[in-house]
């Protein structure tokens, strides 16, 4: 038996699977970030520890015989967070999360430094880890002086589980300290942000054992025998493992709170100027690239809040039949944007609202705006050489057939819908534990899920949506800088 832990921004999910990777049970616990100042987003790592303990105690009570046979644990975590430890392993301050923007000035400085993009393969975004530490050095020097280790959220959970400080390549690639091509810490990238290699965790591959579960935790959770804890993965890499998006030509589109277009890569081919993320994958010899928009279903959730209708009600008004683009345009930049603009100041908006505009028109425009923004991501990925042959559609927004067909038509790619079941980051983390424990090879374990349906592009409407996308693309340069 194996356990995958998905350490998310708003909660923890623990998934118990058998030796064939079939889910047997799961448990969830919620927690929330805090925002002590505008643009700040923090979490107390003690909340993660409490959530993991409660979830695994619940699994042990519900599945005692299966839990007794657990032989491997993998952790997936939200990326980029800075958890600072002193020489005793104590947490020095709340973890600064991925969606914290306080270090925008420091990020711009690091991004402009000689060789940084070339070594890291990425723009240094404000959400990355390196600028956070530069901010701490400047604004909390007494804390910075005591830092002996910086751990990402998943790596901190590894530390809690084993007492060892280790992290995987996929998560570490989002720090701006890793030479992503060489899969190793970069002395230059560390130096430019005032850090040292001895402050970094030991690097392992995501499917490689990093330590063993503490005996006291094993006893508490009803586990007998030695349990390995593998490197694990950043959340998107873990999701890719969960759906089998490992190699060239495989990938997925995620319509979640944020939106992601991810492509597996057989080699290292960065294109940082496009704001595409180029990261190590969670298994040896593989990389992945992704374009990210910050508000996908979050855009529909926003419209729900201001109209008083639930997201499901809004989707029902649009229906299931794709009938071409509307005249109303929507920019989904409610919290700024990453790919391809790297613009934390831009905000969203509607264009062409008229006296006859109805709520249904606004919903359709929101869905189209998100689809067009995801096409921006796909075009940036293609510019780096990535292939988007056939992709999975995952995330809450994929429950809308209209939205999936719209997205397939805008991207010009068939989108496969998996059968209902567990195939996300928690499953990916469990699969990494399976490989690390010798339960199978990467190719055998990281298989794609069964497909319920594949939705093809509506070719009769392709030209219309291409024209609408070209029109939509003119809005950003026209409004950039306006307030």
């Amino acid at each position: 038996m194996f356990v995958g832990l998905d350490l998310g921004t708003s909660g923890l999910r623990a998934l118990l699977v058998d030796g064939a990777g079939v889910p047997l049970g799961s448990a969830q616990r919620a927690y929330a970030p805090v925002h002590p100042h505008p643009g700040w987003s923090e979490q107390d790592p003690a909340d993660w520890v409490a959530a993991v303990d409660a979830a695994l105690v619940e699994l042990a009570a519900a599945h005692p015989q299966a839990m007794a046979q657990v032989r491997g644990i993998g952790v997936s975590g939200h990326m980029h967070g800075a958890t600072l430890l002193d020489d005793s392993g104590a947490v020095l301050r709340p973890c600064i999360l991925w969606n914290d923007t306080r270090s925008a000035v420091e990020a711009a400085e690091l991004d402009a430094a000689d060789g940084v993009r070339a070594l890291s393969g990425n723009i240094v975004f404000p959400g990355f880890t390196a600028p956070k530490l530069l901010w701490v050095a400047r604004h909390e020097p007494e804390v910075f002086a005591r830092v002996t280790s910086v751990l990402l959220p998943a790596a901190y959970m590894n530390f809690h589980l084993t007492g060892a400080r280790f992290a995987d390549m996929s998560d570490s690639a989002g720090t701006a300290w890793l030479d992503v091509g060489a899969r190793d810490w970069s002395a230059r990238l560390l130096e430019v942000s005032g850090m040292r290699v001895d402050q970094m965790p030991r690097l392992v591959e995501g499917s490689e054992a990093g330590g063993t579960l503490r005996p006291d935790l094993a006893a508490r959770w009803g586990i007998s025998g030695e349990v390995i804890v593998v490197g694990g993965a950043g959340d998107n890499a873990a999701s890719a493992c969960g759906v089998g998006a490992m190699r060239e030509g495989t990938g997925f589109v995620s319509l979640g709170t944020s939106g992601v277009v991810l492509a597996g890569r057989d080699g290292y081919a960065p294109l940082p100027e496009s704001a595409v993320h180029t990261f190590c994958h969670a298994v040896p010899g593989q990389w992945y690239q992704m374009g990210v928009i910050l508000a996908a279903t979050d855009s529909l959730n926003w419209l729900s809040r201001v109209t008083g209708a639930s997201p499901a009600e809004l989707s029902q008004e649009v229906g299931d039949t794709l009938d071409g683009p509307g005249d109303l345009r929507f920019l989904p930049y409610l919290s700024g944007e990453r790919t391809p603009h790297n613009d934390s100041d831009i905000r969203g908006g509607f264009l062409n609202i008229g006296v006859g505009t109805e709520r249904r028109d606004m919903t359709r425009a929101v869905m189209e705006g998100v689809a067009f923004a995801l096409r921006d991501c796909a075009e940036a990925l293609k510019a780096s050489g990535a292939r988007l042959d056939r992709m999975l559609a995952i995330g809450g927004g994929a429950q809308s057939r209209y939205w999936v067909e719209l997205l397939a038509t805008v991207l010009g790619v068939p989108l496969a819908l998996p059968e209902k079941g567990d195939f996300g980051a928690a499953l990916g983390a469990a699969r990494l534990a399976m490989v690390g424990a010798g339960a199978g090879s990467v190719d055998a374990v990281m298989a794609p899920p069964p497909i319920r349906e594949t939705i093809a592009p509506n070719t009769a409407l392709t030209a219309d949506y291409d024209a609408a996308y070209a029109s939509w693309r003119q809005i950003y340069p026209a409004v950039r800088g306006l307030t």
Side-chain angles (χ1 to χ4, degrees):
M1 305 295 168
F2 303 90
V3 169
L5 301 175
D6 179 16
L7 187 67
T9 312
S10 57
L12 179 283
R13 183 161 186 263
L15 181 68
L16 175 67
V17 306
D18 66 15
V22 177
L24 300 177
S26 66
Q28 301 182 62
R29 290 296 185 274
Y31 45 76
V34 295
H35 308 284
H37 301 286
W40 289 32
S41 185
E42 300 183 342
Q43 241 164 22
D44 185 348
D47 293 343
W48 310 335
V49 170
V52 167
D53 182 66
L56 291 182
V57 166
E58 178 181 329
L59 282 179
H63 307 277
Q65 292 182 334
M67 282 292 287
Q69 300 176 60
V70 168
R71 292 296 173 263
I73 296 175
V75 181
S76 162
H78 47 91
M79 296 178 68
H80 315 308
T83 311
L84 312 183
L85 308 185
D86 66 13
D87 54 5
S88 71
V91 176
L92 289 169
R93 67 170 329 283
C95 176
I96 307 176
L97 300 183
W98 63 275
N99 55 351
D100 188 293
T101 58
R102 76 184 74 178
S103 59
V105 170
E106 289 78 10
E109 290 177 14
L110 293 177
D111 189 54
D114 184 50
V116 167
R117 284 192 182 184
L119 284 167
S120 72
N122 294 278
I123 289 174
V124 181
F125 293 94
F128 279 17
T129 321
K132 293 178 171 67
L133 269 293
L134 194 55
W135 184 93
V136 171
R138 291 174 176 175
H139 297 275
E140 299 176 353
E142 70 289 349
V143 172
F144 186 78
R146 298 174 59 197
V147 174
T148 59
S149 294
V150 181
L151 299 181
L152 299 161
Y156 180 77
M157 186 52 59
N158 289 341
F159 173 64
H160 169 68
L161 295 174
T162 68
R165 306 183 193 201
F166 62 95
D168 97 292
M169 307 291 183
S170 71
D171 214 7
S172 301
T175 60
W177 289 322
L178 194 79
D179 182 331
V180 175
R183 302 173 88 92
D184 199 2
W185 298 120
S186 163
R188 166 63 182 162
L189 293 175
L190 289 164
E191 177 189 22
V192 76
S193 59
M195 302 300 293
R196 307 182 311 271
V197 72
D198 64 273
Q199 294 172 306
M200 299 296 108
R202 173 170 51 91
L203 287 169
V204 297
E205 296 288 352
S207 55
E208 180 183 353
T212 55
L213 182 64
R214 288 164 36 193
D216 59 317
L217 295 179
R220 176 169 172 77
W221 298 331
I223 300 172
S224 58
E226 185 174 276
V227 178
I228 68 162
V229 178
V230 296
D235 49 8
N236 283 296
S239 294
C241 293
V243 299
M246 310 302 295
R247 303 191 182 281
E248 201 78 40
T250 64
F252 65 77
V253 180
S254 175
L255 279 171
T257 301
S258 59
V260 174
V261 182
L262 182 146
R265 301 304 306 270
D266 292 342
Y268 176 60
L271 192 67
E273 61 271 19
S274 69
V276 161
H277 298 349
T278 303
F279 293 151
C280 304
H281 215 318
V283 298
Q286 296 295 128
W287 287 258
Y288 73 95
Q289 288 180 302
M290 63 180 181
V292 178
I293 68 171
L294 297 179
T297 59
D298 216 25
S299 294
L300 195 63
N301 293 337
W302 165 81
L303 186 64
S304 170
R305 290 196 302 273
V306 299
T307 61
S310 71
E313 289 171 334
L314 295 174
S315 296
Q316 288 169 2
E317 289 177 356
V318 173
D320 291 331
T321 304
L322 200 64
D323 54 2
D327 296 325
L328 191 61
R329 300 280 179 260
F330 175 73
L331 290 182
Y333 306 145
L334 303 181
S335 303
E337 196 54 293
R338 283 205 183 176
T339 311
H341 302 306
N342 185 30
D343 189 341
S344 60
D345 296 323
I346 189 68
R347 289 296 180 266
F350 284 102
L351 185 68
N352 297 334
I353 291 179
V355 293
T357 298
E358 298 181 348
R359 188 170 69 184
R360 177 185 183 278
D361 303 317
M362 299 178 77
T363 302
R364 180 167 70 172
V366 165
M367 290 181 168
E368 289 176 3
V370 169
F372 292 152
L374 288 169
R375 177 164 172 178
D376 270 352
C377 294
E379 296 297 332
L381 286 171
K382 291 176 185 176
S384 72
R387 286 170 29 214
L388 305 176
D389 301 337
R390 185 171 178 271
M391 309 186 78
L392 291 164
I394 63 175
Q399 297 176 34
S400 166
R401 183 182 178 86
Y402 177 94
W403 211 347
V404 175
E405 185 178 350
L406 168 65
L407 192 53
T409 304
V410 169
L411 296 180
V413 178
L415 294 178
L417 296 171
E419 290 184 359
K420 287 188 176 181
D422 291 296
F423 53 83
L427 177 59
R431 286 178 163 188
L432 290 167
M434 291 173 63
V435 174
S441 67
V442 170
D443 288 338
V445 172
M446 309 293 180
I451 299 303
R452 168 169 52 93
E453 180 184 8
T454 297
I455 298 180
N458 188 329
T459 54
L461 296 173
T462 296
D464 292 338
Y465 280 106
D466 284 348
Y469 171 65
S471 170
W472 178 88
R473 287 214 66 192
Q474 297 177 46
I475 303 173
Y476 172 78
V479 303
R480 183 184 180 191
L482 298 178
T483 56

